[in-house]
Amino acid sequence: MPPSTLFRQFVLKVHGRCDLACDHCYVFEHADQGWRRRPAEMTVAAMERAAERIADHARGHGLTRVGLILHGGEPLLAGPRHLAALIAALRAPLRGACDVDLRVHTNGVLLDKRYCDLFRAENVKIGISLDGDRAANDRHRLYRDGRSSYDKVVRAIDLLRADYPDLYSGLLCTIDIANDPIAVYEALAAHEPPAIDFLWPHHTWDRPPPRTSLTSSSGWSPTAYADWLKVIADRWLDDGRPVPVRIFDSIISASQGGPSFTESLGLEASDVLVIETDGGYEQADSLKTAFDGAPDTGMDVFRHSVDDVAKNAGIEARQGGLAALCGTCRDCPVVATCGGGLFAHRYNGDGSGFANPSVYCADLFALIKHVHERIARHQHVLPPAVVRAVATGHGDRASIARLGAAQAIGRRAVIAAVGGRGPEDGSSSPGWEAVKRIGAANPDAYDWALSHPYVRAWAVQRLRALGRPGAAEPEGDGGLLATVACLAAMRAFESVTLTVPVRDGAVYFPGIGRYPVPGRRETTVRVEAGILEVDGAGPVEPVRRLTAGCFTVVLDDLDPFRDCHDHPAAPRLDAGTFARWQSFFQDAWTLLEKEYAEYAPAIAEALTTIVPLDPPASGASVSSAARDAYGSVGIALPESPAKLCLLILHEFQHVKLGAVLDFADLYDKSDDRLYHAPWRSDPRPLEGLLQGTYAHVAVADFWLRRTRSDDAAEAAEAARHFADWYPKTVTAARTLQDSGALTGLGEQFVATMRRTLESWDLPPTPANR
C-alpha cells in the first residue's frame, strides 16, 4: 500500500450526543444527520474490535505510533466508568503493536477531578473547545435553554492548569468574524494553553460563510476571515510566537516544505479515519457539512479491515495531492501551503462536487500571502516565491540574490559551529577570535571574507567530521580561519597579526592567491590599512579571473579545499591553457547571453568560481557541482565554447537546487528507495533523481534552442540530442511525481518543472510527433 493511503490518526466517537446546542456544530446542525441513526454511545465490544483493526493496520505497515482521539458529540457524556472500560478495551489490542498518542476533545463543561484522575492514569491529553472571551464564546456555545457554558469551561481549564498541567494539550476556537480578533486571542492566551487551534467554520459553496467583519472598514469583505486572522497573526508574530498556533505554524512549515499540522492546509494525504459509535468507518467529520451521507463508507470494524477502507473511493479522492485538485488550485502560487483547503469546503451541489477551490479560497490566499510576507523579512527563511521562481528552470536575479542572502547566513552558522572547536583545553584559536571580533564590528567584511565557495565546503566537511560518533577531533584548521580573519581585516581596514600554518610550502588566501613560504611550517601574517603582508613570502601567485564583458568569475586552480568534486581538480594551469579557458569562456558567455538570456541574470548573480577539473583520458566532457560550495562549479575544459556554455548551464542548475534544498524540504528525507534515472544505468536516490531532472531541464532547453540554428549540420545534431534528452527529462519528472515522497512544496516544484517542459514549442522530432 503506498504511504499516502496509511491512516495514522483515528477519531473514535465514544458518545454521539451533546449537552450543548452550539449552532455552528457540524455534527448536529449541518447537512448530514447520521447521528440520528446511530446509538448514543460506543459499546466496549465495538471499541475492542476497532482497536484490533487499528493494531492490524499498524503492524501491517510498520507504523510505530498512531494518534487516537476520543470524540463525540461530547465524549464525557459516556461517564467516567464507561470511559474507563472503553479506554481499557482500546489499549489492550494495541499494546505491543505501536505507541499510542491518546487524546480527548471536550467542550469541558463536565470536566472534573473524576475525569482528570482517569485521564492521568491512562495518559490521555485533554483539548478543550473555547471560542474566546465570554462574549465570543456565548455567541454559539450555549445550552439548549440559552444558558452560557463559559464559566464551566473556564473552571475546567483552571482545574487543568492548577492540578493537571501534564494533561492540558490546548484550546480549540471556531472562528467568528463578528468577534474582536484581539480580544479572542488575548482571552485564549490568558489561559496559557500549550497550543491554540483556530478552526474555520464549516461552509460550502451551497452555504457560503457570512462575510461581515469587525476588521473591515466597510463591514463586508471578500477576505473577511483572512482579515480577522491577519490581525491575530501580526500580534502573534510581534509577540515572538509565544504559543503554538496550528494554522500559522502550518503556513510557516509548509512554505518551507515541512508538514502541515492541520487537515485544512497542505498537500499531504489525509491520514484521518473516523470510527462512529456503532463501529462504522467514516471519512472526516467535516464532510457532514456537504450533504447527508457524505462521510459514509458503508464499512464497519466488524466486517472490514482498515486497509479495506483505504480503497474506498471517497478516501482515495482525498489522497491524490496536487494532481487531485481542480485546475484553479493546481495553478495557484500558494497551493503547496494551501493544499486546496479543507476537502469539505470545496463542495458545490451544482454537479461539480468537490472539484472546486475552497469556499474560503480568497481568504486562504490572502492569509498565506500575508504570513509569507511577514516571515520573508527574516533572511534565513526562503520565501516560497523564490522556490517557485527557481522551479521554472532559470529563476530571476532577485530570487537568486535571496538564495545568496540565505546562503550567507548559512555560512555564518557553519563557521560559528566549527570555529569555537579549539584544542582539548576548550580554548578557541586566535584566528577564530579575530574572525569574531572583526565580524561583530563589520558584518559586511566578514561576509565577504566567507564568500569564497570552498570556505563553506571546508567548514561543512569539518563539521561532519566533528559530528561522526567515535571520530577523532580533526587537527587544527589548516590555517583557514586565520586567513579568513586576515581577509576580513583587509576589507574592514582593521589591524590584525596572526600566526598561520604553511601548507604545502605556501599560505593560501581564499579567492586571492597563494603566497610561497619556503622552508617554514608557519609564518606571521600582518594586515594594516588594508595591506596584507606575509613574512618570508615570495611573489604571490594570484587567483586568475575569466572575463566576458562585465561578467567575471574566479578560475580557481589553487584553493587547497577545492578538490571536493566528483572528479579530481586540475593542478595550476599553464599560461597557454589559461588563455584557452579565457577565450572559450568569453565566447560561451556571449552565446549564453544571446541564446539563453533567461538564465544569464541568475548565473551572473551567483556564479563566482569555476574550478578546472582534470580532463579524463577518454576525452569525454566532465563537469560537477560541489553540494557544499555554493557559487562554484567544476568543469574540465571541453572541445568548444558552445559545450562550455552547456556545462555552465547544466552545473548551475545543481548550484541553484542545492541552495534551495539547504533551506526548504522538497522530499521526504526518510525515503530510502532507489529510482530509475533514464540517463543512467544505476538507480538513484530521490535527491539524485530530483537534481538530475532539474539539471536536464536546462540541458534539453539548450539543445531545443540550437535546433533553430541556421547551420543545418548544427541544427541536425541538436535535434538528435533534444530527441534524446527531452523525453528522458519528462519521464524523470513523472517518476518524481509518482514517487509519493515529495512534500507539498516539492510537488509544486516538480509540477512547475513539468509545466516548463510542456510549454515549449517543440520541433517535429520523432520524440514528440
Side-chain angles (χ1 to χ4, degrees):
M1 181 179 296
S4 61
T5 57
L6 300 184
F7 296 104
R8 293 178 173 85
Q9 299 183 71
F10 297 84
V11 176
L12 302 156
K13 297 302 193 75
V14 297
H15 203 284
R17 305 295 185 266
C18 191
D19 44 4
L20 296 184
C22 308
D23 57 12
H24 55 22
C25 180
Y26 55 84
V27 175
F28 302 108
E29 303 296 333
H30 285 215
D32 182 82
Q33 291 292 297
W35 66 275
R36 298 179 185 274
R37 303 183 289 270
R38 294 190 180 91
E41 64 183 25
M42 182 181 285
T43 65
V44 170
M47 178 64 85
E48 186 174 31
R49 193 66 181 123
E52 290 168 353
R53 295 297 194 184
I54 295 168
D56 288 344
H57 185 70
R59 288 192 190 95
H61 300 288
L63 301 182
T64 58
R65 188 177 183 84
V66 296
L68 306 176
I69 300 173
L70 306 179
H71 210 278
E74 169 50 46
L76 300 194
L77 285 175
R81 182 176 298 177
H82 189 56
L83 274 176
L86 290 173
I87 292 171
L90 176 61
R91 285 204 179 274
L94 287 160
R95 195 169 291 116
C98 61
D99 292 333
V100 170
D101 177 13
L102 185 55
R103 297 171 183 260
V104 60
H105 286 178
T106 172
N107 60 34
V109 298
L110 294 177
L111 189 68
D112 59 19
K113 286 184 174 292
R114 295 175 304 153
Y115 288 102
C116 289
D117 288 341
L118 167 64
F119 294 148
R120 175 171 280 169
E122 295 291 348
N123 191 25
V124 180
K125 307 298 184 187
I126 304 170
I128 294 183
S129 296
L130 179 70
D131 287 351
D133 57 1
R134 181 185 296 275
N137 196 72
D138 287 354
R139 284 186 187 276
H140 305 284
R141 306 190 65 79
L142 302 170
Y143 287 95
R144 295 194 184 280
D145 60 7
R147 286 179 297 128
S148 169
S149 65
Y150 182 76
D151 289 331
K152 290 185 176 180
V153 178
V154 169
R155 184 184 63 193
I157 295 171
D158 289 343
L159 174 65
L160 285 179
R161 291 172 61 193
D163 298 334
Y164 302 90
D166 52 313
L167 304 183
Y168 187 21
S169 68
L171 300 176
L172 297 87
C173 170
T174 300
I175 299 164
D176 187 333
I177 56 175
N179 295 324
D180 183 320
I182 293 300
V184 168
Y185 172 70
E186 288 180 343
L188 295 174
H191 293 296
E192 299 182 330
I196 297 173
D197 196 2
F198 289 107
L199 308 175
W200 301 90
H202 291 312
H203 288 275
T204 67
W205 289 102
D206 291 342
R207 192 175 69 90
R211 294 197 170 276
T212 302
S213 171
L214 290 176
T215 57
S216 170
S217 58
S218 66
W220 186 92
S221 168
T223 57
Y225 292 83
D227 300 339
W228 195 89
L229 284 164
K230 285 192 291 186
V231 174
I232 297 176
D234 284 340
R235 170 66 179 274
W236 178 73
L237 288 165
D238 290 342
D239 287 349
R241 300 169 66 174
V243 56
V245 176
R246 194 155 62 145
I247 189 170
F248 304 144
D249 286 328
S250 292
I251 291 172
I252 293 169
S253 173
S255 73
Q256 304 302 299
S260 169
F261 310 114
T262 171
E263 190 185 10
S264 65
L265 291 170
L267 284 169
E268 293 100 331
S270 175
D271 63 356
V272 179
L273 186 62
V274 178
I275 300 177
E276 268 288 356
T277 55
D278 60 357
Y281 292 114
E282 281 200 341
Q283 301 177 61
D285 265 0
S286 55
L287 283 170
K288 293 179 184 295
T289 199
F291 55 88
D292 196 28
D296 293 349
T297 66
M299 302 182 191
D300 61 65
V301 298
F302 302 104
R303 298 174 299 155
H304 304 93
S305 69
V306 172
D307 285 4
D308 290 336
V309 189
K311 301 169 187 173
N312 176 271
I315 296 287
E316 289 184 337
R318 302 173 60 220
Q319 309 295 318
L322 186 64
L325 300 179
C326 69
T328 301
C329 291
R330 289 197 301 270
D331 294 338
C332 178
V334 302
V335 67
T337 304
C338 169
L342 197 67
F343 188 76
H345 297 168
R346 306 173 202 167
Y347 181 73
N348 194 328
D350 64 358
S352 59
F354 297 96
N356 304 287
S358 168
V359 73
Y360 291 106
C361 177
D363 298 284
L364 288 163
F365 185 91
L367 176 64
I368 290 167
K369 183 172 181 290
H370 180 78
V371 175
H372 283 177
E373 288 172 351
R374 282 295 309 264
I375 63 173
R377 298 176 190 176
H378 304 287
Q379 290 295 306
H380 66 281
V381 175
L382 202 60
V386 170
V387 181
R388 293 195 300 269
V390 173
T392 62
H394 40 80
D396 57 81
R397 188 164 199 148
S399 295
I400 303 306
R402 183 57 186 265
L403 266 183
Q407 285 289 319
I409 293 172
R411 282 194 295 270
R412 290 179 218 153
V414 174
I415 288 291
V418 300
R421 297 289 291 266
E424 290 184 2
D425 63 6
S427 63
S428 57
S429 69
W432 173 237
E433 292 301 320
V435 167
K436 288 195 296 182
R437 174 176 60 82
I438 297 166
N442 195 320
D444 289 342
Y446 176 48
D447 284 339
W448 175 81
L450 295 180
S451 64
H452 191 61
Y454 297 96
V455 172
R456 181 178 187 268
W458 164 84
V460 171
Q461 183 181 37
R462 183 174 176 83
L463 192 60
R464 286 175 182 151
L466 290 168
R468 280 196 293 268
E473 183 88 2
E475 293 185 10
D477 62 20
L480 185 71
L481 289 173
T483 58
V484 166
C486 292
L487 292 180
M490 285 174 57
R491 188 78 165 189
F493 278 76
E494 294 271 352
S495 298
V496 69
T497 299
L498 291 168
T499 299
V500 181
V502 175
R503 182 189 180 107
D504 297 328
V507 175
Y508 175 79
F509 293 89
I512 302 298
R514 181 168 62 189
Y515 287 74
V517 187
R520 295 195 185 189
R521 298 182 60 184
E522 59 183 34
T523 189
T524 301
V525 178
R526 298 179 183 84
V527 177
E528 293 282 349
I531 304 299
L532 183 148
E533 295 181 354
V534 181
D535 280 0
V540 63
E541 293 180 86
V543 167
R544 294 171 292 194
R545 305 186 73 87
L546 302 173
T547 303
C550 296
F551 182 47
T552 180
V553 299
V554 168
L555 187 71
D556 199 335
D557 51 4
L558 292 175
D559 194 311
F561 302 106
R562 74 189 187 281
D563 206 359
C564 58
H565 292 268
D566 292 339
H567 304 277
R572 181 69 166 177
L573 305 180
D574 59 40
T577 306
F578 174 76
R580 192 161 182 258
W581 261 102
Q582 171 57 46
S583 174
F584 274 39
F585 180 76
Q586 184 167 332
D587 290 347
W589 186 251
T590 300
L591 174 63
L592 196 151
E593 284 193 307
K594 179 182 177 183
E595 301 294 340
Y596 309 94
E598 298 94 331
Y599 295 86
I603 296 175
E605 175 65 34
L607 182 63
T608 64
T609 306
I610 296 177
V611 169
L613 303 179
D614 256 343
S618 66
S621 296
V622 167
S623 61
S624 172
R627 180 70 169 77
D628 300 313
Y630 177 75
S632 172
V633 298
I635 297 175
L637 190 65
E639 68 273 15
S640 70
K643 197 61 174 289
L644 179 59
C645 175
L646 170 61
L647 296 178
I648 291 172
L649 285 170
H650 179 178
E651 295 307 332
F652 192 72
Q653 295 290 93
H654 290 302
V655 171
K656 288 184 292 186
L657 183 53
V660 167
L661 291 172
D662 282 340
F663 293 91
D665 292 324
L666 300 186
Y667 64 94
D668 179 1
K669 290 185 171 61
S670 68
D671 185 273
D672 57 2
R673 293 173 292 172
L674 297 177
Y675 297 85
H676 172 64
W679 47 84
R680 295 179 66 125
S681 59
D682 56 323
R684 305 290 292 152
L686 193 65
E687 182 176 344
L689 181 63
L690 178 61
Q691 284 274 9
T693 306
Y694 184 67
H696 289 122
V697 170
V699 171
D701 197 8
F702 176 86
W703 292 117
L704 172 63
R705 299 186 194 206
R706 289 184 73 76
T707 63
R708 301 161 191 153
S709 171
D710 293 334
D711 185 312
E714 185 178 272
E717 180 195 16
R720 288 193 299 274
H721 285 297
F722 180 76
D724 181 34
W725 283 113
Y726 181 76
K728 288 178 177 177
T729 309
V730 171
T731 297
R734 288 175 183 154
T735 300
L736 288 167
Q737 289 179 311
D738 293 341
S739 69
L742 298 177
T743 65
L745 193 62
E747 281 198 66
Q748 189 177 29
F749 189 95
V750 176
T752 302
M753 277 200 292
R754 278 200 65 178
R755 278 198 293 274
T756 294
L757 291 165
E758 291 164 0
S759 70
W760 293 343
D761 183 14
L762 305 182
T765 66
N768 56 71
R769 281 176 183 157

